[in-house]
Amino acid sequence: MTSYRRATSAVLVLGFAQAACAAVTVDLAPLRPAVGRGDDVQVRVTLTNTSSVAQHVLRWRTPQGGVEAPLFEVRRDGAPVRYLGIQVKRAPPTAADYLRLAPNASVTQTVELSALYEMNVTGAYTVRYHSPAAPQGPAAMQAVAGELTSAPVSIWVEGRLPRGSKSAPAAATAASPGLAFSKCSNAQQEQLAAAVDAGRAMAADSHAYLATRQPYGARYLTWFGAQDGQRGAQDGQRSAQVGASFTAIKDAFETRPLRIDCGCNAPYYAYVYPAQPYTVYVCKAFWGAPLTGTDSRGGTLVHELSHFDVVAGTDDHVYGQSGAAELARTAPARAVDNADSYEYFGENTPPLQ
Ligand SMILES: [Zn+2]
């Protein structure tokens, strides 16, 4: 008797899993079949409950609320492409972790893929949705346990790197020997390469000013205060510090392996961990800033690189142009240790001699 019952229930469970597997389908559609250099790579993911009863899908098996698992299989010219997004260790799911799909209902989400997969190399990509089978859900609900897959779709991507390039975490370019990215889409990578060029130009210009001008003019006076020595590097303590700091900032731009992380959604411009060179985390205000000029993307990178202990070890005594100008007038010893003062000297907007 007992063994007969066990056998029956096993058959029922299997039958259930198969029915649930077919109940929710996944449809994948690229927004554009070909994307240009500097464009994001977007696909529309639609999950549809094709059954006549409500179905429940674990949220993290769907892109609803953000991709938190490798939900796609991406290939470039036939070879698998690395997933660069997050992998989460979770507690066993509860009922609250399930997304409810009414009979015949669909949910659609647009996903940007190039920040999640290494897609900055030019090539013919194929993308398939694939979430492997999951454990059975709580007994009270009809939970989808089978794998969720879509048919593959094709997307041609014109990337920053030429077709056939070896994909590498620190993909080098001619302009930036050590520039690498984390969680940055193709469009963001393109814009960041320009921002690094702008910051590097500001650092080189600042370095040239400090090394060649004598005496320093209004530009130095405005952002770092009265000059306390001739030609900085030789005598005055403060002007020597400014000269050494800009030499180090220029060196960091030109020779160090800079990594930029785009995962920050906070409202400010950017942040760094001063003891962890050379990773810069760019945030919301950064993307709203101009390339050059006051509080620009280029200047923000000058500001952030100045913070690293191995570069100039600056602090944030004050923020903003009027505060930085006030600091130069009243406390030049702190101005020469203030990150925004380096940024504004570098941006030099409006231009001063
Ligand atoms: Zn700062």
Side-chain angles (χ1 to χ4, degrees), residues 215-235:
Y216 296 155
R219 181 176 176 184
Y220 182 95
L221 188 74
T222 300
W223 302 120
F224 294 118
Q227 187 177 355
D228 59 342
Q230 298 301 300
R231 184 66 71 81
Q234 279 80 40
D235 32 27

Side-chain angles (χ1 to χ4, degrees), residues 113-129:
L113 288 174
S114 63
L116 296 168
Y117 293 84
E118 204 163 63
M119 300 181 86
N120 56 5
V121 177
T122 300
Y125 287 77
T126 56
V127 182
R128 184 173 85 108
Y129 196 87

Side-chain angles (χ1 to χ4, degrees), residues 303-304 307 316 319 339:
H303 175 123
E304 297 304 332
H307 277 317
D316 289 315
Y319 288 112

Side-chain angles (χ1 to χ4, degrees), residues 270-272 300 303-304 306-307 314-316 318-319 338-340 343:
Y271 68 93
V272 296
T300 297
H303 175 123
E304 297 304 332
S306 80
H307 277 317
T314 59
D315 283 326
D316 289 315
V318 297
Y319 288 112
N338 184 52
D340 257 358
E343 174 171 346

Side-chain angles (χ1 to χ4, degrees), residues 2-29:
T2 310
S3 66
Y4 170 77
R5 273 190 185 161
R6 268 190 197 142
T8 306
S9 65
V11 167
L12 279 175
V13 166
L14 194 63
F16 238 59
Q18 281 168 348
C21 179
V24 172
T25 60
V26 185
D27 183 64
L28 198 59

Side-chain angles (χ1 to χ4, degrees), residues 111-281:
V111 178
E112 200 292 307
L113 288 174
S114 63
L116 296 168
Y117 293 84
E118 204 163 63
M119 300 181 86
N120 56 5
V121 177
T122 300
Y125 287 77
T126 56
V127 182
R128 184 173 85 108
Y129 196 87
H130 179 238
S131 169
Q136 288 289 341
M141 58 172 59
Q142 179 81 353
V144 175
E147 63 176 13
L148 294 169
T149 59
S150 74
V153 296
S154 300
I155 308 173
W156 172 263
V157 177
E158 198 68 43
R160 295 181 60 242
L161 304 175
R163 194 172 196 183
S165 300
K166 280 272 173 265
S167 45
T173 67
S176 308
L179 184 57
F181 303 101
S182 274
K183 309 183 193 86
C184 302
S185 73
N186 280 8
Q188 289 173 322
Q189 291 181 33
E190 197 73 16
Q191 293 175 40
L192 286 167
V196 170
D197 286 345
R200 186 193 301 112
M202 289 176 193
D205 174 67
S206 301
H207 177 263
Y209 177 104
L210 294 163
T212 58
R213 271 192 83 94
Q214 193 56 52
Y216 296 155
R219 181 176 176 184
Y220 182 95
L221 188 74
T222 300
W223 302 120
F224 294 118
Q227 187 177 355
D228 59 342
Q230 298 301 300
R231 184 66 71 81
Q234 279 80 40
D235 32 27
Q237 201 183 343
R238 292 196 305 274
S239 47
Q241 185 177 338
V242 173
S245 294
F246 264 116
T247 299
I249 294 167
K250 175 176 178 282
D251 175 73
F253 269 116
E254 292 176 356
T255 67
R256 303 298 158 172
L258 186 60
R259 173 176 287 274
I260 303 181
D261 186 300
C262 301
C264 171
N265 274 320
Y268 38 79
Y269 284 89
Y271 68 93
V272 296
Y273 297 97
Q276 294 171 22
Y278 296 89
T279 298
V280 177
Y281 300 82

